[in-house]
Amino acid sequence: MKSSIVTKISIIFAVCFMLVCVLFFMYANIQKENAINFVRDKQMSAINYLLALYEQAKPPQDLTHYFKNFGLEYVQDQNLSLAIAMDGEVVFTRATPIGTVKSILHKDNLYLHVQNVAFNFLLENSETKHINDSLFIIFIVATILLFSLYASVLKSLTPLKKLSQDIRRFAAGNLDVKICSSDDKDVCAQADEIGEVAMEFGKAVKTIRELVKSRQLFLRAIMHELKTPIGKGRIVSEMVESETQKNRLISIFVRLEMLINEFGKIEQLLSKSYSLDYHEYHFSLILEQVADMLMLENFEDKVICDIQEDVVVKVDYQLFCLAIKNLIDNGLKYADDKKVILLCKENEIVIKNLGKALEHDIEHYMQAFVRGDSKTSGMGLGLYIIDQIVSMHKMSLKYSYENAYHCFCIKLNKKA
């Protein structure tokens, strides 16, 4: 079971507090028992010495002063005397020549009761009245220190939440996230490990941001420069007298322009800066766009379509068309008979092509810049881009090899 670091620290401090309470409670009980034994000894000493004085016919003139020498004082509170007489527990009773002597335990205090015909008094030990007061003060101080330390640790961990949110936003493609900026001093101002991590991450974010921007600028500059000769080529192609040659030239330049637009989408996709625009479309409409993008002379002959159900899917039109187009293009490229079979069912789209079994697992070919063989042209981004687009739509791409056919199946999520 996963738990946050705050939860773990809270549990640790809770256990520590419980241990402190148990230790202080045990020590307080031991101290009380020692105090009771000490008082009992004092009481016995006071009575024994008093008896010895009476036997020697030298009784003390002032009993109050006599008992004070043993740390015993008269109980003045009549309500307390009554409560002791009713609820007290007799520890021992002794009959002496001066009367009956009782030691009574009441609320963790030991009292001495002396009774005869002439007098009746109750004594308490003044030296052990507040024996646990110092221990209680120490407990309060220890508790305050423990909770202060706990609060200090939690306060030092508070910036981690913001840092975590910034990292998530950065991972989601928000390159403008600001970490350790001049306006944000909660994280970086700390002279601890969290502040150091935030500062290093801020430096990494800045470096990555600069690299991405330089790459985007470079690619956009190339695409911009390419569009100029393509535009001029389109104009020149209109001047060609032969209708067949003119159409071929126009189709070539249209294809080049489409490829440049595709490169732009791929660049956005790879940099995680593409935002999906969901709408519902029939798959037949998507297939028409794919056919236009492929620009094949005999599309129906090369791509055998079996639309068992014209499903409605909620997708980003341009991006999903690019994925289907790349799957068909990939199948045509590697098919032994240069044909692809496309099946559209209720919950899946299957694209099949005839060919030999793969040398490696499909995961190997879904990596970026990996091609099926060295003879095939391209950068090896086909399956990687397809997998990325399918994942962005919260769908899944499955591969299987059945009856000499490579089968790529997109499991549809029509409520994406």
Side-chain angles (χ1 to χ4, degrees):
M1 183 180 66
K2 293 183 178 179
S3 57
S4 66
I5 188 171
V6 175
T7 303
K8 293 178 181 177
I9 290 174
S10 299
I11 292 173
I12 291 172
F13 273 93
V15 171
C16 291
F17 179 69
M18 289 173 62
L19 290 175
V20 168
C21 292
V22 170
L23 289 174
F24 273 93
F25 179 76
M26 291 175 61
Y27 186 72
N29 283 339
I30 292 172
Q31 193 158 312
K32 266 181 193 175
E33 290 179 6
N34 292 336
I36 290 172
N37 292 331
F38 175 75
V39 173
R40 186 186 295 115
D41 293 339
K42 284 268 189 178
Q43 291 175 352
M44 294 296 294
S45 298
I47 295 300
N48 290 336
Y49 190 64
L50 183 61
L51 290 174
L53 290 176
Y54 271 98
E55 288 176 359
Q56 296 173 10
K58 297 179 181 179
Q61 298 297 322
D62 186 357
L63 286 177
T64 302
H65 180 71
Y66 170 79
F67 283 115
K68 274 189 176 181
N69 293 329
F70 292 90
L72 298 173
E73 294 179 349
Y74 287 101
V75 175
Q76 304 294 337
D77 190 345
Q78 295 299 322
N79 292 328
L80 177 59
S81 300
L82 184 61
I84 293 170
M86 294 180 62
D87 303 327
E89 178 186 352
V90 178
V91 177
F92 69 85
T93 303
R94 182 178 175 184
T96 67
I98 63 171
T100 304
V101 178
K102 293 181 182 179
S103 182
I104 303 173
L105 182 65
H106 179 71
K107 292 186 178 179
D108 297 327
N109 288 322
L110 205 59
Y111 299 89
L112 183 65
H113 183 223
V114 182
Q115 182 180 14
N116 65 12
V117 178
F119 52 81
N120 180 13
F121 54 84
L122 188 67
L123 300 168
E124 63 179 341
N125 191 284
S126 59
E127 297 177 358
T128 58
K129 269 186 178 180
H130 306 288
I131 191 170
N132 283 330
D133 287 357
S134 59
L135 187 66
F136 182 72
I137 293 172
I138 294 172
F139 174 75
I140 295 296
V141 172
T143 301
I144 292 173
L145 288 175
L146 190 63
F147 277 94
S148 299
L149 182 60
Y150 174 66
S152 176
V153 171
L154 288 186
K155 185 178 179 181
S156 65
L157 291 176
T158 301
L160 275 179
K161 186 175 182 180
K162 184 182 183 306
L163 183 60
S164 176
Q165 293 173 349
D166 290 338
I167 292 174
R168 288 195 190 97
R169 287 199 296 268
F170 180 73
N174 183 7
L175 299 180
D176 295 326
V177 60
K178 292 183 179 180
I179 299 177
C180 292
S181 63
S182 57
D183 299 331
D184 182 18
K185 299 180 181 179
D186 291 339
V187 178
C188 300
Q190 297 187 78
D192 57 11
E193 289 79 1
I194 297 175
E196 292 176 6
V197 169
M199 289 186 67
E200 293 301 323
F201 183 71
K203 292 177 183 177
V205 167
K206 184 178 179 181
T207 303
I208 293 172
R209 187 188 299 125
E210 291 174 354
L211 288 173
V212 170
K213 286 184 178 179
S214 62
R215 187 193 69 181
Q216 290 176 340
L217 181 62
F218 175 71
L219 291 175
R220 289 171 185 174
I222 290 177
M223 289 188 290
H224 177 74
E225 293 300 323
L226 286 174
K227 283 188 176 182
T228 301
I230 289 173
K232 291 181 179 179
R234 283 289 305 275
I235 295 173
V236 172
S237 62
E238 294 291 342
M239 301 177 182
V240 177
E241 295 181 359
S242 173
E243 193 68 25
T244 302
Q245 294 297 327
K246 181 171 73 173
N247 291 335
R248 286 179 179 176
L249 285 173
I250 291 174
S251 65
I252 290 172
F253 287 118
V254 169
R255 173 67 172 168
L256 288 173
E257 191 171 358
M258 288 178 63
L259 286 174
I260 289 175
N261 293 332
E262 284 184 22
F263 289 154
K265 290 187 180 65
I266 291 171
E267 185 274 328
Q268 290 180 324
L269 180 66
L270 295 179
S271 63
K272 308 294 183 182
S273 60
Y274 190 90
S275 180
L276 295 178
D277 183 19
Y278 284 110
H279 291 287
E280 291 184 348
Y281 303 95
H282 282 280
F283 182 72
S284 57
L285 181 63
I286 293 174
L287 192 59
E288 289 179 8
Q289 177 65 18
V290 169
D292 293 338
M293 292 170 68
L294 285 169
M295 299 184 68
L296 298 174
E297 292 184 0
N298 300 311
F299 179 81
E300 292 79 6
D301 295 337
K302 294 182 178 180
V303 182
I304 303 170
C305 300
D306 183 6
I307 310 296
Q308 297 179 7
E309 182 174 346
D310 192 7
V311 295
V312 177
V313 289
K314 192 174 182 180
V315 294
D316 182 293
Y317 183 71
Q318 293 184 344
L319 211 57
F320 196 72
C321 288
L322 179 61
I324 301 297
K325 174 253 181 188
N326 282 352
L327 265 180
I328 295 175
D329 193 30
N330 187 74
L332 291 172
K333 191 181 297 180
Y334 293 101
D336 291 345
D337 57 356
K338 300 303 177 183
K339 291 184 179 181
V340 166
I341 299 173
L342 186 147
L343 304 175
C344 181
K345 303 178 183 180
E346 182 181 359
N347 295 316
E348 61 184 17
I349 299 169
V350 182
I351 296 174
K352 303 162 56 176
N353 67 283
L354 185 66
K356 298 178 181 179
L358 299 175
E359 295 180 3
H360 307 282
D361 293 337
I362 191 62
E363 287 76 14
H364 171 75
Y365 299 96
M366 285 190 177
Q367 299 177 49
F369 308 107
V370 173
R371 291 179 295 176
D373 55 65
S374 58
K375 297 179 182 178
T376 308
S377 61
M379 294 184 294
L381 282 171
L383 287 179
Y384 174 77
I385 292 171
I386 295 165
D387 187 52
Q388 292 292 312
I389 294 174
V390 171
S391 298
M392 288 176 68
H393 284 83
K394 296 181 175 56
M395 301 177 184
S396 59
L397 179 65
K398 305 294 183 182
Y399 168 80
S400 62
Y401 186 70
E402 303 171 359
N403 301 322
Y405 276 89
H406 299 281
C407 302
F408 289 92
C409 176
I410 297 177
K411 297 290 182 180
L412 297 177
N413 180 12
K414 292 183 283 185
K415 295 182 181 181

